[in-house]
Amino acid sequence: MRTIKADKHQRFCQENGLISQFISAKTGDSVYLCFQRVAAEILGIKLNKAEIEQSQRVVKADIVNYSQDTVARTVNTPRSSMCVVQ
């Protein structure tokens, strides 16, 4: 649930020369990036794309191994113990 509409937020930032950053106090999304952007602005440093992407939150999940009896396979593909979502 968003308290302030995105278009109203963007308009206010543009009218007042402010940096726009959406963060979530509930989940913590983009909080680190917000602090990084404020510090870079104060120091006069421009963040590049790699620095911005690096500060994005990584989601980790456990890999579930179902027994062979419950999952029917039609193709015998090699399995990996790693999962990467980008």
Side-chain angles (χ1 to χ4, degrees), residues 36-37 39-41 43-49 51-52:
Q36 189 177 21
R37 287 182 68 188
E41 181 72 20
L43 296 172
I45 300 170
K46 182 166 173 53
L47 298 176
N48 62 35
K49 185 177 178 180
E51 291 169 329
I52 293 171

Side-chain angles (χ1 to χ4, degrees), residues 23-31 57:
I23 62 171
S24 173
K26 183 176 180 179
T27 65
D29 287 342
S30 298
V31 172
R57 195 171 119 193

